[in-house]
Amino acid sequence: MKKDNAPAALTNQEVARYSRHLIMPEVGMEGQLKLKAARALCVGAGGLGSPVALYLAAAGVGTLGIVDFDEVDYSNLQRQIIHGTPDVGRSKLESAKTRLNALNPEVEVVTHEMALSAQNALALFADYDLVIDGTDNFPTRYLVNDACVLGAKPNVYGSIFRFEGQVSVFATKDGPCYRCMFPEPPPPGLVPSCAEGGVLGILPGVVGTLQATEAIKLILGVGESLAGRFLLFDALKMRFRELKVRKDPDCPVCGEHPTVTQLIDYEQFCGVVPVTPEGAPTPEVADEVTVEQLKTRLDRQDTFLLLDVREPQEFQICRIPGSVLIPLGDLRSRLSEVEGRDDIVVHCKSGVRSGKAVTLLREAGYGTARNLKGGILAWIDRIDPTLPKY
Ligand SMILES: [Zn+2]
């Protein structure tokens, strides 16, 4: 895309490698040289980032940046196909780079080992022609959107949950942005993450491959992009639907009179960090028990109800002995089952859902309900490492 440093020609080996592209009129030598000169940034080396990076590298995108700060975990391998079992414990970036270099040594893989933030996003994006959003949370999604609008970089968006995926292209010259469609994030906790709700392993493969396709088309300047269209994919029904997205003249970031003219605090914007006066104890803290305290109470056979508010599938994987399962979604209608129990400890996987259950129980008059801090994951880490982690 950058004409000033466009390579003049392909080597014979590159001609052989890209021959199936070169014989297509829509790509040809000119298109392949555009791909070679292009600089694409993939945010995340996870489920979506895996197919995106693999296909962009295979296609010969000359410079491929990847941002991530995570390590490969066993629970990643069901969908993050850029990583393998021997990579567990390695940095995702190192693992991805090894795989991409093996796939196509002609591509320069640039690793950015950091958490994308309002402080670094604009400077990072400035080095690239387009951004592919492979994030899995709302603060980073709004951050990527705003940084793309402010930096005038197309944002190839994708998101996944269970069997459903979404794809679009935002922040093109005349197209809408993510905020034109979703001006405000959903209330925190309303939309579960893949870590909480699960995701079909192949879903990021489908969605990420669509993102890679859009990225290649943008670089080549061919076809009709998804800018102005929002594609919905339902893997269970095997159906695609499409929504029209119009640029909103009142959009706070890409509208005619934008109010967001620099990057903001996205954790706060998305309500992830509750706004509390400095020094004031957050009410949750007083309502919490630690896994060590729970262990002590279980060992001395205290009379209390240990309530597990996860889903039955999670209960099947691992459970704390003596716990009673009532999934959070059923709790309100099954309150009679905890009637008369004035000493309740609630837990879930990591403490988020059980926090909501404690609020619900307290509103229903169970004033002593308390949340197990860190959930069963903390229990496994610190009390019983023989249980499987998920
Ligand atoms: Zn907008």
Side-chain angles (χ1 to χ4, degrees):
M1 282 170 105
K2 279 186 183 162
K3 293 198 175 57
D4 48 339
N5 60 1
L10 298 180
T11 63
N12 287 354
Q13 206 175 55
E14 287 173 298
V15 169
R17 179 182 286 272
Y18 305 122
S19 63
R20 300 299 186 278
H21 271 167
L22 295 171
I23 57 178
M24 288 166 70
E26 294 83 357
V27 186
M29 181 59 79
E30 194 190 335
Q32 196 61 50
L33 290 172
K34 278 185 191 170
L35 290 170
K36 187 171 179 175
R39 303 176 59 87
L41 179 68
C42 188
V43 182
L48 294 170
S50 288
V52 167
L54 284 167
Y55 272 111
L56 293 189
V61 168
T63 306
L64 189 52
I66 314 177
V67 196
D68 208 300
F69 59 92
D70 226 350
E71 283 178 2
V72 181
D73 183 87
Y74 278 106
S75 68
N76 300 150
L77 301 175
Q78 160 255 24
R79 64 200 176 284
Q80 302 185 10
I81 57 166
I82 203 166
H83 312 297
T85 306
D87 299 315
V88 169
R90 275 181 94 191
S91 113
K92 284 193 179 176
L93 285 182
E94 276 175 40
S95 160
K97 188 170 177 155
T98 306
R99 176 79 180 88
L100 295 169
N101 284 340
L103 175 63
N104 190 350
E106 310 284 352
V107 170
E108 193 195 343
V109 179
V110 185
T111 53
H112 303 280
E113 188 111 33
M114 61 193 195
L116 193 70
S117 73
Q119 285 69 46
N120 59 33
L122 282 174
L124 178 63
F125 287 15
D127 278 341
Y128 292 91
D129 303 320
L130 77 168
V131 176
I132 300 108
D133 181 1
T135 56
D136 58 357
N137 63 81
F138 286 100
T140 319
R141 191 166 294 153
Y142 278 94
L143 166 62
V144 169
N145 179 73
D146 292 3
C148 280
V149 173
L150 297 175
K153 308 288 176 181
N155 170 15
V156 185
Y157 160 87
S159 89
I160 48 170
F161 181 67
R162 293 192 169 163
F163 287 92
E164 289 169 27
Q166 308 173 341
V167 196
S168 192
V169 173
F170 293 120
T172 54
K173 194 166 164 287
D174 302 307
C177 81
Y178 183 72
R179 285 211 204 211
C180 292
M181 204 172 171
F182 304 106
E184 297 286 332
L190 185 74
V191 179
S193 68
C194 289
E196 291 160 355
V199 62
L200 183 73
I202 203 165
L203 188 74
V206 176
V207 171
T209 311
L210 292 170
Q211 287 179 280
T213 311
E214 288 303 292
I216 297 278
K217 280 161 58 193
L218 285 173
I219 295 167
L220 294 175
V222 298
E224 293 169 36
S225 94
L226 272 177
R229 295 185 290 149
F230 195 78
L231 188 67
L232 299 159
F233 172 56
D234 181 338
L236 265 189
K237 293 184 180 148
M238 198 46 82
R239 278 208 180 105
F240 285 92
R241 285 194 302 137
E242 204 178 293
L243 306 175
K244 263 205 166 65
V245 194
R246 288 198 174 80
K247 194 174 166 80
D248 179 3
D250 297 323
C251 173
V253 61
C254 80
E256 284 158 17
H257 306 286
T259 53
V260 178
T261 53
Q262 54 184 7
L263 299 177
I264 58 171
D265 183 334
Y266 292 88
E267 299 277 320
Q268 202 173 84
F269 174 64
C270 294
V272 178
V273 184
V275 188
T276 43
E278 214 165 315
T282 50
E284 286 79 11
V285 173
D287 296 344
E288 283 177 344
V289 288
T290 64
V291 289
E292 288 80 9
Q293 288 167 332
L294 174 65
K295 175 79 165 65
T296 306
R297 296 199 65 186
L298 287 170
D299 284 348
R300 64 172 188 233
Q301 300 183 318
D302 274 7
T303 317
F304 67 103
L305 174 66
L306 179 57
L307 180 64
D308 183 344
V309 294
R310 297 174 302 153
E311 297 298 313
Q313 312 84 274
E314 301 176 82
F315 193 72
Q316 278 169 11
I317 301 171
C318 57
R319 66 191 73 169
I320 301 177
S323 57
V324 172
L325 178 72
I326 304 181
L328 177 62
D330 300 341
L331 186 56
R332 197 177 291 277
S333 61
R334 291 173 62 181
L335 275 176
S336 61
E337 292 174 44
V338 300
E339 211 169 275
R341 308 299 296 260
D342 56 357
D343 190 351
I344 306 176
V345 174
V346 193
H347 88 82
C348 63
K349 183 181 177 185
S350 67
V352 178
R353 281 172 287 171
S354 50
K356 288 180 208 160
V358 165
T359 305
L360 192 157
L361 286 167
R362 288 181 165 235
E363 283 166 7
Y366 297 88
T368 59
R370 294 166 85 193
N371 188 11
L372 181 67
K373 193 178 180 195
I376 198 167
L377 290 182
W379 176 267
I380 297 170
D381 279 341
R382 291 168 11 215
I383 306 293
D384 185 1
T386 65
L387 289 176
K389 240 173 144 176
Y390 66 102

